[in-house]
Every structure is written in structure tokens, then in C-alpha cells.
Amino acid sequence: MSLPSVIDFEPTHVALIGDPAPIDQAFALATNSRPSLTVVHQGQYIAAFGLYPLHQSAAQAWMLVNPKYRHKYAKSILKVARKELDRWQISEAFNRVQITIEFANAGFVRWSELLGFQMEGLMRKAGHDGQDHFLMARIR
């Protein structure tokens, strides 16, 4: 089996990935990100991820994953994302990279820990629809 490849992210990839996140929010975040990449395998868009700068030394991480391939390529996506997050945090001089996870998607907490994020707390009623979110960060 061949491994997925990584290409530069383009906003049009959001719809091709098919992540169930609200498409308008995902598109806005992804469009204004630097840096960002897309994981592709045999013409299928598997995942995309990147950093959205909050200010000079902090960024918000985001990731979209195609639900059809979430489990099949989990290890490959994790390996690529961890490597790139490590590289970007240094090259972009971000002392802090944070991620928020909907309370309903608590399974992604473990995934984020594998990417090097640590739990900071619960953000109550932080979502666009009033949902609680976990706040996690990677500090350099």
C-alpha cells in the first residue's frame, strides 16, 4: 500500500475533504491560515491542517479530516501533522499553538495529546451554538 502525499493547502480542498465541521467556519479559518497542508492519497483528499496566527507569537491550530478515511489513515495523518506542527512552531516563532475541541468530540482530546497538546481547561459556552469546548496548547 502506498503512503499518502502532502501538498500545499488550497481553500477549495475544504469541500473535497468533507469534514462535518461547519463549512463556512472551516473555510474562513483555513483561508486565512499560514502555513497549511493537505494530505492526499490516490486522488482522495484525506485531511488538511494548519495554523491561523492569533498574534506574533501565538496561533490557533485547525484540522479537517475526511470521515471516510479517519481510521484508515489515522497513523499517517498523525505522523505528518506532528512533524509539521513541530517544524512550523519553530520556523514561525510561535511560542504558543492552541487548539479547541468541541466537548461532544472528546475523543479528539487523545489525538491532540499525541500531537503534543496539553489540556488547559474547559471553555464553557464557547462554541457558535453554545457548546462547551476543551482548550489545549503546545508551549515552546
Side-chain angles (χ1 to χ4, degrees):
M1 181 172 85
S2 63
L3 296 173
S5 59
V6 179
I7 61 173
D8 288 335
F9 171 80
E10 294 180 18
T12 55
H13 297 169
V14 172
L16 298 171
I17 291 168
D19 187 290
I23 194 76
D24 57 335
Q25 290 179 359
F27 186 80
L29 189 62
T31 300
N32 296 304
S33 293
R34 70 147 176 67
S36 52
L37 295 171
T38 301
V39 180
V40 181
H41 187 258
Q42 297 179 344
Q44 299 299 313
Y45 289 76
I46 307 299
F49 57 92
L51 299 178
Y52 177 84
L54 298 172
H55 55 76
Q56 185 176 351
S57 64
Q60 176 78 26
W62 59 270
M63 179 177 275
L64 302 172
V65 180
N66 188 319
K68 292 191 291 187
Y69 304 109
R70 181 169 283 144
H71 298 291
K72 183 175 182 180
Y73 294 105
K75 287 182 183 178
S76 296
I77 295 167
L78 182 67
K79 184 177 178 180
V80 169
R82 175 73 189 238
K83 176 183 165 200
E84 294 302 328
L85 282 170
D86 289 346
R87 186 174 65 84
W88 291 340
Q89 194 162 3
I90 293 167
S91 69
E92 300 293 326
F94 291 128
N95 293 324
R96 175 186 179 84
V97 174
Q98 66 185 37
I99 192 168
T100 57
I101 301 167
E102 289 181 348
F103 188 78
N105 292 330
F108 288 110
V109 169
R110 178 69 182 133
W111 174 266
S112 298
E113 289 171 343
L114 293 171
L115 288 171
F117 290 90
Q118 295 179 342
M119 181 66 70
E120 288 192 331
L122 179 65
M123 300 171 21
R124 302 200 39 96
K125 307 289 182 201
H128 69 281
D129 57 358
Q131 286 190 14
D132 294 345
H133 282 69
F134 293 108
L135 176 63
M136 299 180 76
R138 292 169 48 120
I139 306 298
R140 183 172 68 91

